[in-house]
C-alpha cells in the first residue's frame, strides 16, 4: 500500500508518518503543499490513498480536490480529508457539499485524532474506491 | 377722476351738471361732496343706503355734521375723527385710508379737495368704497393657511413647496429646524443652490429633476441632505405637482421624512452581521490553531501508549514535536486570554522608566531568532542620545516582536527588517518617540488596510490563508499601544513592503 500525505504543518506530517508506518507498515510519501502534492501524484504511480489537509496556504485541500476530479488519472484516488476545522462548521459543510456527488472524498477525519480512529478511517477509505463521475 | 376729459368741459353747464349728477348717482361707491364748511352739497343714494340716513341736503346742513355722524359708527371712532379733522384743516390734501365699522363692514375712503380753476378751494369730495367681502376672503385665506401650516407641523414631516426653478415658496418649521435654520429663513432662497448644494457629493439637481419630471402622478424617492452644520440626514420624499387653473404646473408640493434613525439601525444591523461573520471566521481559525498542535500531541502520545513492546518508528523525534506543539498551544491560548483581559480592562500595566538603548540591545537577539524557517536579518537604527520612556517594557517587547514576526512571516526569504527609532520634533507627534518596523514584504492592498488592526482580521479567507495565526496579533498591538498612551499606524505599498510605526510619549 502506498499513501500520500499532504499537509503544510510539518509536525502533523511527521506524526501521520510515524503512526501509519508503525501501525501498518504502508509506504508513506509526504508533500507540504497542494501544488507539491499534485506534482508528486502526477509523476508517480497512482496512490492507494491520499490523506489531505484542508486549511493550507495558497491552495487549500478543497482546491486540490477540484483539480483532481478533472484529472483522468487522479480522480481514481480515494481521499481522506483531515481537518482541524470542526466537521460541523458551516464553512466545512459548504465545501463538502460541492463534492457530495463526486464521491472522491471517501471519508473525513477531524483533528485531533487517536491512532485507532486514523487507522480505521484509512482502511475504510482504501476499500471504498471513488465512484467517479466525469466533470 | 382728477382730470376730466377736455371735450366734456366744453359742453354747456346744464348738460355737464346732469352728467355729473347721473355719474355720481350711479356710482357703486358712496359719494359725498361737501363745501368748505363741511355742509353737504351732494351725496348719492348709495351714501344714504350705507349709513341708513337721509340724503336730504337740509337735514345735514349744519357744518360737518354728516361725517361726524359716520365717525360715530367706526370701530376706532376717535382715530377716524382725528383723520377727518386733519383733512378739514388741510383743505388742499388728497388722501386715502381704510376704515372698519362696528358692524364689521370695511371701507376704503378716498378724499380730494374740490377747486375752482385749479386754485381756489371750494370744498371736498369723499368716496367710500366698500371692501368688506375682500377683507373677509383675505381673512379666510389667512385662517386656512394657518390651519394648513398647523397640519404641516403636526404630521412631523418636512413640507416644502418649490417653483419650477427650485425657489422655495414654503418650507414648514420642521424643515427649517431639521436643516438648522430659523422658521422662514429659507423662504425665497433656492432649494437646489442654497440647500442641496451643502451636500459635497451633490453633483446635479437630481432632486429637482425627479420632482419636475413628474407632471401628473406623485413620486417617491430617497435623498441625502446635509444640514447647515454639515450633518448628513437621510430623507425619503414624496412630491406632487401643483397646477394652475389652466392645468399648467406652477410649483411642487414635496414632503420629506427624516429616516436617519432607520438608516442608522440598518447600518448597525449590517455591522452586527459582519461581526457575526467575523466571529464565525474567528472560531474556525481558533479551532484550527488549537486543534493542529493537539493533533501531534494526542496522536504521538497515543502511539507511545499503545506501542509498549515494540518501539514506534522515529521515536527520538517525538519529545521535540510534543514539546513544540505544546508551546504553540500555550501561545495561542495566551493570545486569546490577552485579548480577553485587555477588553475587560483587567490587564495590569507595569510602568517603569525604560531606556530605549538598553531595551533594544536586550531585544535584538530575540528578534533575530524569532523564525527558524526563514532566513532574514534585523537592522536596528537607534537614536544617538538615549531616549527614556515611562512605559511597560514587557508589553512593548510584545508589540515589537509581533511586528517583526509578521514582517518575517509574510515576507520573502533573505529580506532585511529595519527598525528605526526616532524622536519626533514636529506635529502631530511632537514630544513622542516613534518606532518604525519596515519590511520588504508583499505589501498590503489598500482595500485591506482598514481592517488590519481590527479584531480577528486575517486578510485571507480562513480555508486557504497563507499563514498560521489567530489574526489577533495586530489587534493586541493596537490595544497595548493605545493603553500606553500612544498610537499605531501603517503605511504600505503593494510590491514594496510595509512600515508599521508606533508612537509613545517621552518621559517628562
Amino acid at each position: 500500500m502506498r499513501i500520500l500525505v499532504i499537509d503544510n504543518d510539518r509536525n502533523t506530517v511527521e506524526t501521520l508518518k510515524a503512526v501509519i508506518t508503525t501501525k501498518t507498515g504502508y509506504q508513506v510519501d509526504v508533500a507540504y503543499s497542494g501544488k507539491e502534492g499534485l506534482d508528486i501524484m502526477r509523476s508517480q504511480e497512482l496512490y492507494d490513498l491520499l490523506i489531505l489537509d484542508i486549511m493550507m496556504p495558497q491552495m487549500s485541500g478543497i482546491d486540490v480536490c477540484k483539480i483532481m476530479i478533472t484529472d483522468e488519472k487522479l480522480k481514481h484516488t480515494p481521499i481522506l480529508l483531515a481537518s482541524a476545522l470542526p466537521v460541523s462548521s458551516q464553512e466545512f459543510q459548504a465545501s463538502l457539499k460541492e463534492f457530495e456527488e463526486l464521491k472522491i472524498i471517501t471519508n473525513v477525519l477531524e483533528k485531533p485524532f487517536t491512532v485507532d480512529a486514523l487507522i480505521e478511517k484509512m482502511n475504510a477509505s482504501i476499500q471504498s474506491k471513488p465512484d467517479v463521475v466525469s466533470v | 377722476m382728477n382730470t376730466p376729459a377736455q371735450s366734456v368741459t366744453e359742453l354747456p353747464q346744464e348738460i355737464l351738471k346732469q352728467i355729473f349728477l347721473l355719474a355720481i348717482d350711479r356710482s357703486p361707491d358712496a359719494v359725498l361732496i361737501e363745501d368748505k364748511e363741511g355742509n353737504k352739497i351732494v351725496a348719492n343714494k348709495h351714501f344714504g343706503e350705507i349709513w341708513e340716513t337721509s340724503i336730504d341736503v337740509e337735514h345735514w346742513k349744519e357744518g360737518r355734521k354728516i361725517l361726524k355722524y359716520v365717525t360715530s359708527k367706526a370701530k376706532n371712532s376717535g382715530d377716524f375723527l382725528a383723520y377727518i379733522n386733519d383733512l378739514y384743516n388741510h383743505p388742499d390734501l388728497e388722501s386715502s385710508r381704510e376704515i372698519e365699522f362696528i358692524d364689521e363692514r370695511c371701507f376704503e375712503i378716498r378724499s380730494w379737495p374740490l377747486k375752482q380753476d385749479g386754485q381756489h378751494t371750494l370744498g371736498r369730495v369723499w368716496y367710500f368704497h366698500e371692501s368688506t367681502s375682500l377683507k373677509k376672503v383675505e381673512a379666510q385665506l389667512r385662517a386656512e393657511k394657518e390651519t394648513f401650516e398647523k397640519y404641516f407641523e403636526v404630521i412631523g414631516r418636512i413640507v416644502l413647496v418649490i417653483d419650477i426653478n427650485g425657489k422655495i415658496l414654503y418650507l414648514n418649521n420642521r424643515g427649517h429646524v431639521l436643516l438648522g435654520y430659523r422658521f422662514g429663513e429659507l423662504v425665497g432662497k433656492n432649494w437646489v443652490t442654497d440647500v442641496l448644494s451643502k451636500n459635497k457629493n451633490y453633483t446635479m439637481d437630481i432632486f429637482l429633476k425627479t420632482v419636475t419630471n413628474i407632471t401628473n402622478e406623485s413620486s417617491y424617492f430617497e435623498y441625502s441632505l446635509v444640514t447647515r452644520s454639515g450633518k448628513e440626514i437621510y430623507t425619503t420624499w414624496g412630491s406632487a405637482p401643483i397646477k394652475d387653473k389652466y392645468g399648467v404646473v406652477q410649483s411642487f408640493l414635496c414632503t420629506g421624512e427624516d429616516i436617519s434613525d432607520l438608516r442608522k439601525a440598518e447600518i448597525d444591523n449590517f455591522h452586527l452581521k459582519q461581526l457575526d461573520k467575523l466571529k464565525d471566521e474567528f472560531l474556525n481559525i481558533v479551532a484550527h490553531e488549537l486543534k493542529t498542535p493537539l493533533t501531534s500531541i494526542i496522536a504521538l502520545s497515543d502511539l507511545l501508549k499503545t506501542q509498549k513492546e515494540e518501539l514506534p518508528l522515529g521515536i527520538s523525534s517525538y519529545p521535540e514535536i510534543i514539546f513544540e506543539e505544546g508551546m504553540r498551544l500555550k501561545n495561542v491560548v495566551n493570545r486569546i486570554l490577552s485579548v480577553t483581559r485587555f477588553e475587560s480592562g483587567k490587564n495590569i500595566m507595569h510602568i517603569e522608566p525604560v531606556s530605549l538603548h538598553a531595551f533594544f540591545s536586550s531585544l535584538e537577539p530575540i528578534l533575530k531568532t524569532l523564525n527558524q524557517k526563514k532566513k532574514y536579518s534585523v537592522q536596528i537604527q537607534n537614536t544617538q542620545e538615549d531616549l527614556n520612556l515611562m512605559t511597560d517594557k514587557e508589553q512593548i517587547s510584545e508589540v515589537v516582536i509581533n511586528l517583526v514576526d509578521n514582517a518575517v512571516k509574510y515576507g520573502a526569504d533573505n529580506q532585511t527588517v529595519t527598525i528605526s527609532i526616532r524622536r519626533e520634533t514636529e506635529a502631530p507627534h511632537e514630544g513622542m518617540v516613534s518606532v518604525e518596523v519596515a519590511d520588504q514584504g508583499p505589501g498590503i492592498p489598500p482595500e485591506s488596510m482598514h481592517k488590519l488592526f481590527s479584531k480577528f482580521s486575517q486578510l485571507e479567507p480562513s480555508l486557504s490563508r497563507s499563514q498560521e495565526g489567530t489574526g489577533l496579533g495586530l489587534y493586541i498591538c493596537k490595544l497595548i499601544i493605545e493603553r500606553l498612551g500612544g498610537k499605531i499606524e501603517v503605511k504600505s505599498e503593494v510590491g514594496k513592503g510595509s512600515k508599521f510605526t508606533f508612537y509613545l510619549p517621552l518621559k517628562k
Side-chain angles (χ1 to χ4, degrees):
Chain A
M1 284 286 172
R2 289 166 59 252
I3 290 167
L4 178 67
V5 172
I6 307 179
D7 196 318
N8 67 304
D9 191 89
R10 288 184 179 257
N11 283 342
T12 303
V13 169
E14 284 309 305
T15 301
L16 282 164
K17 200 174 169 182
V19 173
I20 297 165
T21 44
T22 302
K23 283 288 176 187
T24 66
Y26 296 163
Q27 181 194 325
V28 178
D29 289 346
V30 299
Y32 299 103
S33 73
K35 193 183 170 297
E36 192 190 345
L38 286 171
D39 287 347
I40 291 176
M41 283 191 286
R42 283 185 179 127
S43 63
Q44 306 271 329
E45 215 180 294
L46 205 65
Y47 281 94
D48 295 297
L49 178 69
L50 170 64
I51 299 179
L52 180 64
D53 181 28
I54 296 183
M55 244 195 218
M56 287 190 292
Q58 278 98 46
M59 187 188 282
S60 75
I62 298 299
D63 295 332
V64 174
C65 291
K66 281 180 188 165
I67 292 169
M68 284 176 69
I69 52 174
T70 61
D71 188 304
E72 273 309 311
K73 178 185 165 193
L74 302 184
K75 70 181 179 186
H76 300 290
T77 309
I79 298 174
L80 170 58
L81 268 190
S83 171
L85 270 185
V87 174
S88 58
S89 76
Q90 252 184 10
E91 200 169 7
F92 186 81
Q93 289 299 329
S95 319
L96 270 192
K97 230 174 185 154
E98 292 181 49
F99 299 92
E100 222 166 44
E101 287 136 44
L102 301 171
K103 302 274 181 354
I104 192 166
I105 296 163
T106 50
N107 250 309
V108 180
L109 178 67
E110 192 175 329
K111 292 178 189 171
F113 45 80
T114 59
V115 171
D116 289 346
L118 171 64
I119 303 299
E120 188 192 317
K121 293 253 161 138
M122 267 175 60
N123 288 332
S125 290
I126 291 168
Q127 275 153 29
S128 58
K129 280 251 175 188
D131 169 21
V132 180
V133 182
S134 53
V135 176
Chain B
M1 251 179 256
N2 290 346
T3 15
Q6 288 296 315
S7 53
V8 175
T9 52
E10 283 155 16
L11 290 168
Q13 280 289 321
E14 190 52 33
I15 292 176
L16 266 181
K17 195 182 169 186
Q18 272 186 46
I19 293 173
F20 168 75
L21 285 175
L22 207 69
I24 287 184
D25 226 33
R26 297 286 162 87
S27 165
D29 300 323
V31 182
L32 172 71
I33 302 174
E34 290 178 318
D35 67 9
K36 260 165 46 177
E37 279 72 43
N39 297 323
K40 188 186 80 173
I41 300 171
V42 157
N44 63 357
K45 231 194 276 172
H46 201 50
F47 189 90
E49 281 162 17
I50 288 173
W51 310 117
E52 290 166 339
T53 180
S54 159
I55 55 164
D56 174 22
V57 177
E58 294 308 314
H59 184 77
W60 295 108
K61 213 147 187 194
E62 284 168 48
R64 290 161 192 174
K65 233 177 160 183
I66 186 160
L67 274 184
K68 276 172 192 159
Y69 166 75
V70 171
T71 334
S72 68
K73 300 199 164 199
K75 252 190 186 165
N76 206 339
S77 57
D79 227 29
F80 189 32
L81 190 62
Y83 172 72
I84 290 171
N85 282 335
D86 189 48
L87 285 180
Y88 282 144
N89 291 333
H90 300 89
D92 289 337
L93 274 187
E94 196 181 314
S95 173
S96 78
R97 73 170 282 176
E98 286 191 340
I99 184 105
E100 200 180 345
F101 287 85
I102 36 184
D103 57 6
E104 302 287 319
R105 283 189 300 175
C106 298
F107 288 88
E108 190 191 340
I109 300 176
R110 306 185 79 178
S111 176
W112 300 270
L114 197 62
K115 291 182 179 177
Q116 194 175 36
D117 309 326
Q119 284 185 356
H120 190 59
T121 308
L122 297 175
R124 192 164 268 286
V125 182
W126 298 89
Y127 260 68
F128 293 82
H129 176 76
E130 189 166 357
S131 55
T132 312
S133 57
L134 191 69
K135 285 276 160 198
K136 262 190 192 157
V137 171
E138 272 179 15
Q140 211 175 335
L141 280 177
R142 208 177 305 121
E144 265 178 38
K145 189 175 163 238
E146 277 167 15
T147 313
F148 268 119
E149 283 180 359
K150 269 181 205 149
Y151 287 160
F152 290 165
E153 291 316 323
V154 167
I155 58 171
R157 294 179 65 116
I158 306 166
V159 178
L160 167 76
V161 181
I162 48 174
D163 71 8
I164 47 172
N165 298 314
K167 187 183 160 192
I168 302 172
L169 304 176
Y170 175 80
L171 178 66
N172 69 345
N173 188 43
R174 170 130 179 103
H176 277 96
V177 171
L178 259 177
L179 290 165
Y181 294 87
R182 272 181 291 115
F183 182 52
E185 224 177 327
L186 283 172
V187 174
K189 297 264 168 56
N190 192 291
W191 180 247
V192 177
T193 53
D194 295 322
V195 180
L196 301 187
S197 59
K198 294 249 187 279
N199 189 339
K200 279 181 197 144
N201 299 327
Y202 160 86
T203 44
M204 54 182 293
D205 51 352
I206 296 165
F207 189 100
L208 197 61
K209 242 187 178 152
T210 314
V211 168
T212 53
N213 263 344
I214 316 297
T215 44
N216 279 312
E217 314 268 310
S218 49
S219 67
Y220 178 87
F221 57 98
E222 283 192 21
Y223 204 88
S224 162
L225 295 174
V226 171
T227 67
R228 190 183 217 168
S229 61
K231 189 183 152 209
E232 189 168 18
I233 49 176
Y234 295 96
T235 47
T236 55
W237 289 86
S239 78
I242 301 173
K243 296 173 183 176
D244 65 11
K245 60 181 176 180
Y246 307 107
V248 178
V249 175
Q250 296 292 344
S251 54
F252 300 91
L253 172 67
C254 317
T255 73
E257 190 174 6
D258 177 8
I259 56 155
S260 301
D261 288 347
L262 190 72
R263 184 54 60 92
K264 196 180 160 290
E266 276 173 11
I267 292 169
D268 286 349
N269 191 26
F270 174 75
H271 284 311
L272 279 177
K273 277 186 179 157
Q274 284 222 312
L275 263 185
D276 203 46
K277 226 177 103 188
L278 264 178
K279 187 205 74 194
D280 286 349
E281 192 93 322
F282 172 71
L283 275 179
N284 284 342
I285 292 170
V286 166
H288 182 269
E289 291 304 298
L290 291 174
K291 289 166 90 184
T292 301
L294 276 177
T295 307
S296 299
I297 295 171
I298 289 177
L300 290 181
S301 54
D302 191 20
L303 192 61
L304 284 172
K305 187 180 78 182
T306 53
Q307 290 288 120
K308 280 180 183 142
E309 289 94 53
E310 199 183 328
L311 284 182
L313 292 165
I315 185 171
S316 61
S317 64
Y318 295 6
E320 181 151 3
I321 294 178
I322 294 176
F323 178 75
E324 266 180 23
E325 297 302 285
M327 290 302 280
R328 191 169 151 192
L329 201 53
K330 186 198 87 171
N331 287 336
V332 175
V333 172
N334 276 349
R335 188 153 281 190
I336 296 167
L337 285 179
S338 175
V339 167
T340 316
R341 289 214 188 101
F342 255 109
E343 286 182 339
S344 59
K346 283 179 186 154
N347 235 9
I348 297 159
M349 294 283 168
H350 302 283
I351 306 294
E352 57 183 332
V354 177
S355 138
L356 284 184
H357 276 180
F359 174 77
F360 277 101
S361 318
S362 65
L363 198 60
E364 198 170 353
I366 302 171
L367 295 177
K368 286 184 167 162
T369 53
L370 275 181
N371 194 320
Q372 310 290 342
K373 293 175 194 164
K374 287 250 176 88
K375 284 190 190 120
Y376 68 98
S377 59
V378 175
Q379 203 180 9
I380 299 179
Q381 297 176 337
N382 214 324
T383 46
Q384 289 246 304
E385 48 145 0
D386 192 11
L387 298 176
N388 286 294
L389 304 179
M390 280 302 282
T391 196
D392 185 322
K393 210 159 57 181
E394 290 306 313
Q395 302 288 347
I396 298 300
S397 318
E398 193 179 335
V399 174
V400 177
I401 288 172
N402 223 311
L403 294 179
V404 173
D405 190 45
N406 275 346
V408 175
K409 202 161 80 169
Y410 291 99
D413 259 329
N414 297 316
Q415 69 159 334
T416 302
V417 178
T418 312
I419 304 176
S420 316
I421 297 106
R422 290 185 204 98
R423 179 191 195 130
E424 296 290 318
T425 52
E426 278 169 29
H429 302 113
E430 199 186 344
M432 294 184 116
V433 65
S434 70
V435 177
E436 176 194 279
V437 177
D439 64 43
Q440 297 162 335
I444 301 151
E447 66 272 17
S448 302
M449 297 281 268
H450 71 282
K451 57 178 186 178
L452 264 189
F453 293 103
S454 64
K455 202 175 177 179
F456 315 152
S457 75
Q458 264 206 343
L459 301 180
E460 301 150 293
S462 57
L463 262 192
S464 63
R465 62 216 176 98
S466 65
Q467 296 299 332
E468 305 286 301
T470 50
L472 288 173
L474 285 177
Y475 178 61
I476 293 176
C477 288
K478 183 174 183 270
L479 290 177
I480 292 174
I481 295 297
E482 286 179 355
R483 184 80 175 273
L484 292 171
K487 195 180 130 190
I488 188 164
E489 61 187 30
V490 60
K491 288 189 181 105
S492 185
E493 203 177 322
V494 173
K496 290 202 172 167
S498 307
K499 284 178 183 172
F500 284 84
T501 310
F502 63 83
Y503 302 88
L504 286 171
L506 273 163
K507 184 185 167 187
K508 278 176 191 146

